[in-house]
Amino acid sequence: MKQITILLVFLYSLTSLAQVSFTAEASRSKLGINERLKVEFKIDANGDNFRPPSFDGLNKIGGPNQFYSQHYENGKSTFIKTYTYFFQPEKRGKITIGQAEITVEGQVYKTSPIEVEVTAAVDTPNQSRAVAEAGSGIHLIAEVSKSKPYLNEGIYVVYKLFLSPTVNIRNWRPLDDPKFEGFWSQNINIDQLELKEGEFGGQPYRYVELRKTVLYPQKTGELKIEPLSLAVSVEVPTDKRDFFGRRMYDVVEKNFSANTKTIDVKPLPEENKPEGFSGAVGEFDFKLKANKKELDAQTSLELTSEVSGKGNLKLFNLPKIQSPSSFEVYEPERNENVRTTSLGMRGSISEKYTVIPEFKGEYVIQPTSFSYFNPNTESYETLKSTPITIQVNSGPQRPEESQVASGSDSNRPQNIISSKSNFNYIKLKTNLKEKNETQFFQSPLYWTLFFIPFLSIPLMLIFGKVKNREIDQNQAQLKRANKLVKRYLSEAKKNIGDSKAFYESLERALHNYMKARLKIQTLDMQKDKIQELLSTKGVSQETTKSFLKILESCELARYTPSVTEDMKNDFDKAAKVISEIDKEV
């Protein structure tokens, strides 16, 4: 009997535990970011130590409200305890409401997680009557400067909050920032909000410009501009009055959203499109200038190509300069001096080339062309720089040159090596000796061997000076290259966080280092060529592999985004592999 009693008590306890139900319910499984969500936790037993979840991604605007309900039906009692919360979503996407906990008779119970999907703002959100009344006299609209722009033509969208003279608001906060998919965008900072007078629907209204954003469409066709959503605290009149008979007000939070805007982006015309067109749209000026026009060989000058004006300045490439073949040209350093206003980007962008002439003489840097599309005239325009003459005074003598004119442009000089100097190294005279000559004493050979020891002394001195001069020149070139490497590595370090700018600077530093160490030209910057030359110089296979892997990271970064931690790791690896190569070469 004792065993049967224990078994019955155990079964009864299991039955009583199984009867406790603790659940979580959300009023909606999918809602807009400008709508509200009610979450209820229900238990059919009187529990203690209720612990709600964290509610990440939701802003609590009410609760917890506790409600008890007990009913008797057919002699059976039903008990329900409810904890109710009200929330406003903070962001779009899927939000998971975690597990709530409660203790009943020493036993802990947990609810199942709930998933809720938050979408963009809806035009007709669910709201209470008081909230609906608060919305009268308040309007949030979006105005677009141009509904049918060209590809890469700058437009702007401004969000205005219109207020009726009879409406009072306490404050406002953004609920959701619009995502400008298909656009290059930049927000315009508004330092201080200004209340202006205007009209809405033919009635006098006050309005505030809350936000301005400049947009450059990156693809053609219909593109949608998502709405901006705000939560505004509005004063709503009530039926209560104060001691002096004045109506009392309650503050209600109301959500507002601007309607979705659609623009139709026109493609750039294919007719008369210049060959060198790189996507520039706007109104620009172009010039090419040199900081020196007279210098010595093996010293550097700077060539700067610059585009200024208004348009999509950050979204196209500058044309490459055309320099004489005897000029050593390093990768350019890009500089942007651009400010963005509601009228678009204005300012200038430039690329500065470090150029080193190898031989003395007079050289001509040919004109460079820059083409852009002008949306005002709806046509392509091409600008051309003026030729620049560079006079190199002293230095190694270049083989004879003659300036000839091409058939297409008789006024454009070109540096051509004359054919007669191509074979100067071939000896055209012989120095034959008689076959039967046998006398050695006092012969030319005798005296030659006799004076060789004396003649070798000044020759060795001369050779030593020439060798030292070559070493000095090599060291000077290496010093200039190392200076460029340090500059670009420093530039890369400053750009950590900006994937494109960082990897461009890092790649330029590695290329300049290879030019100095391996005497390799830009056209030979290929993995197989670099691997072969490093192996010839005695660099270990592991170091060579690390160097090539960093170059590969720079190439892949143009097409895939990178996080800041990856950039820091690649920078440390680049500095380390350069140090290793210096030790091994």
Side-chain angles (χ1 to χ4, degrees):
M1 289 296 295
K2 184 178 180 180
Q3 292 178 347
I4 293 173
T5 303
I6 293 173
L7 180 61
L8 290 174
V9 172
F10 177 72
L11 292 175
Y12 176 78
S13 63
L14 289 178
T15 304
S16 62
L17 289 175
Q19 290 177 349
V20 176
S21 174
F22 184 37
T23 59
E25 297 177 2
S27 60
R28 303 182 68 179
S29 61
K30 186 175 181 180
L31 70 158
I33 196 167
N34 58 338
E35 296 185 291
R36 298 189 175 192
L37 179 70
K38 181 173 74 173
V39 179
E40 294 181 329
F41 301 94
K42 296 181 180 181
I43 187 168
D44 59 358
N46 192 10
D48 299 314
N49 300 326
F50 173 72
R51 294 182 182 179
S54 60
F55 301 113
D56 292 334
L58 297 172
N59 179 41
K60 186 175 71 172
I61 57 176
N65 301 325
Q66 295 188 32
F67 176 76
Y68 299 88
S69 174
Q70 191 168 10
H71 300 281
Y72 291 91
E73 186 175 350
N74 298 328
K76 187 177 180 180
S77 174
T78 302
F79 176 83
I80 297 292
K81 186 176 184 180
T82 305
Y83 298 87
T84 305
Y85 292 83
F86 296 91
F87 298 99
Q88 180 73 53
E90 294 179 342
K91 59 183 180 180
R92 281 188 282 179
K94 290 188 177 180
I95 297 176
T96 300
I97 300 174
Q99 294 178 311
E101 296 182 2
I102 197 169
T103 304
V104 178
E105 296 181 358
Q107 179 69 33
V108 177
Y109 294 87
K110 298 181 179 181
T111 62
S112 299
I114 303 174
E115 264 198 4
V116 178
E117 183 180 358
V118 181
T119 64
V122 296
D123 293 335
T124 55
N126 59 335
Q127 53 194 4
S128 63
R129 182 182 63 83
V131 174
E133 291 178 355
S136 60
I138 300 178
H139 307 276
L140 178 62
I141 66 170
E143 294 181 355
V144 180
S145 61
K146 194 172 184 178
S147 60
K148 293 185 178 181
Y150 279 100
L151 181 70
N152 260 318
E153 180 184 358
I155 61 173
Y156 69 87
V157 56
V158 56
Y159 295 95
K160 296 181 179 180
L161 183 65
F162 282 84
L163 307 172
S164 171
T166 60
V167 171
N168 294 322
I169 66 172
R170 292 287 182 88
N171 53 48
W172 61 273
R173 61 183 177 86
L175 290 176
D176 182 40
D177 291 330
K179 296 178 180 178
F180 304 105
E181 294 185 3
F183 295 93
W184 183 96
S185 62
Q186 182 170 336
N187 290 329
I188 306 300
N189 293 328
I190 300 178
D191 297 330
Q192 185 174 2
L193 297 179
E194 182 181 356
L195 191 64
K196 302 178 181 179
E197 299 294 332
E199 288 188 359
F200 185 86
Q203 300 296 323
Y205 267 76
R206 300 165 295 166
Y207 71 92
V208 178
E209 293 183 352
L210 299 178
R211 180 175 298 181
K212 289 181 180 179
T213 304
V214 174
L215 305 173
Y216 286 88
Q218 299 299 294
K219 58 183 180 179
T220 59
E222 288 190 352
L223 298 180
K224 294 186 181 297
I225 300 177
E226 293 184 352
L228 172 69
S229 298
L230 301 176
V232 182
S233 298
V234 187
E235 292 184 353
V236 179
T238 65
D239 296 333
K240 300 179 181 179
R241 297 186 179 272
D242 61 10
F243 179 77
F244 299 99
R246 294 174 298 189
R247 186 182 294 273
M248 300 180 67
Y249 290 82
D250 284 339
V251 177
V252 177
E253 191 172 79
K254 162 74 174 177
N255 297 335
F256 297 89
S257 297
N259 291 333
T260 302
K261 291 289 184 178
T262 302
I263 65 171
D264 186 12
V265 183
K266 299 181 291 186
L268 298 178
E270 292 295 330
E271 185 179 359
N272 298 325
K273 179 183 288 187
E275 184 177 351
F277 177 71
S278 61
V281 177
E283 297 181 21
F284 303 105
D285 290 324
F286 174 70
K287 59 183 177 180
L288 179 65
K289 57 186 178 180
N291 68 333
K292 299 178 185 177
K293 293 188 178 180
E294 189 172 346
L295 72 163
D296 295 333
Q298 304 300 326
T299 59
S300 64
L301 63 90
E302 292 179 350
L303 289 176
T304 304
S305 61
E306 181 182 78
V307 172
S308 59
K310 60 180 181 179
N312 59 335
L313 285 165
K314 297 183 179 181
L315 305 177
F316 60 84
N317 296 321
L318 289 175
K320 298 296 182 182
I321 65 171
Q322 301 177 17
S323 63
S325 60
S326 61
F327 280 21
E328 181 72 17
V329 182
Y330 291 90
E331 288 295 322
E333 177 185 353
R334 187 179 178 93
N335 182 42
E336 295 181 354
N337 183 20
V338 180
R339 66 184 186 278
T340 305
T341 66
S342 59
L343 299 177
M345 286 186 268
R346 292 174 177 266
S348 63
I349 58 172
S350 62
E351 287 185 348
K352 184 183 295 183
Y353 295 81
T354 299
V355 179
I356 301 176
E358 298 179 0
F359 305 102
K360 67 178 182 179
E362 184 176 291
Y363 302 89
V364 177
I365 298 175
Q366 305 297 342
T368 303
S369 298
F370 171 71
S371 299
Y372 65 93
F373 180 78
N374 190 334
N376 293 329
T377 61
E378 297 186 344
S379 62
Y380 292 97
E381 299 181 14
T382 300
L383 304 176
K384 187 175 290 188
S385 65
T386 57
I388 301 176
T389 302
I390 305 296
Q391 180 66 43
V392 182
N393 293 326
S394 62
Q397 181 66 45
R398 188 181 182 185
E400 290 186 19
E401 298 178 349
S402 62
Q403 290 186 345
V404 299
S406 64
S408 59
D409 190 354
S410 59
N411 295 324
R412 182 179 297 174
Q414 298 181 359
N415 297 312
I416 307 290
I417 299 177
S418 59
S419 60
K420 66 179 183 179
S421 61
N422 291 345
F423 305 97
N424 286 343
Y425 65 92
I426 299 178
K427 294 182 178 181
L428 303 178
K429 295 181 180 181
T430 61
N431 186 16
L432 301 177
K433 295 182 180 180
E434 294 180 4
K435 183 177 181 180
N436 297 326
E437 184 177 2
T438 57
Q439 188 177 4
F440 174 72
F441 181 72
Q442 293 186 347
S443 64
L445 179 59
Y446 169 83
W447 292 113
T448 301
L449 295 176
F450 179 83
F451 286 107
I452 279 178
F454 301 98
L455 296 175
S456 63
I457 295 174
L459 290 175
M460 291 177 64
L461 293 175
I462 295 173
F463 177 79
K465 290 183 179 180
V466 174
K467 190 68 175 178
N468 290 335
R469 186 180 300 170
E470 292 177 356
I471 292 174
D472 291 340
Q473 290 180 353
N474 290 336
Q475 290 178 348
Q477 291 178 354
L478 181 60
K479 186 177 180 180
R480 285 194 296 269
N482 286 337
K483 185 178 180 181
L484 288 172
V485 170
K486 290 179 181 179
R487 184 175 73 183
Y488 287 126
L489 281 177
S490 175
E491 181 182 348
K493 190 174 183 179
K494 293 178 182 178
N495 290 328
I496 290 178
D498 184 349
S499 177
K500 182 179 179 182
F502 169 79
Y503 282 103
E504 285 179 354
S505 301
L506 186 61
E507 186 175 20
R508 286 198 296 268
L510 296 175
H511 281 188
N512 283 312
Y513 180 77
M514 285 292 99
K515 287 180 181 180
R517 274 298 184 188
L518 304 183
K519 309 297 182 184
I520 187 173
Q521 300 301 318
T522 305
L523 295 177
D524 294 329
M525 284 292 178
Q526 300 177 0
K527 293 182 180 179
D528 295 338
K529 184 70 173 179
I530 293 174
Q531 186 174 7
E532 178 183 353
L533 291 174
L534 287 176
S535 178
T536 305
K537 292 288 186 178
V539 179
S540 64
Q541 186 176 0
E542 182 179 357
T543 304
T544 302
K545 185 177 180 180
S546 300
F547 184 85
L548 295 177
K549 189 173 182 181
I550 295 173
L551 283 179
E552 184 179 358
S553 298
C554 293
E555 294 173 359
L556 291 176
R558 299 175 183 172
Y559 309 102
T560 58
S562 301
V563 298
T564 302
E565 192 64 26
D566 292 340
M567 299 181 201
K568 292 180 179 178
N569 292 336
D570 286 341
F571 180 85
D572 294 337
K573 290 178 183 178
K576 181 179 179 182
V577 77
I578 289 176
S579 176
E580 292 295 330
I581 294 176
D582 281 335
K583 294 178 182 178
E584 297 178 13
V585 173

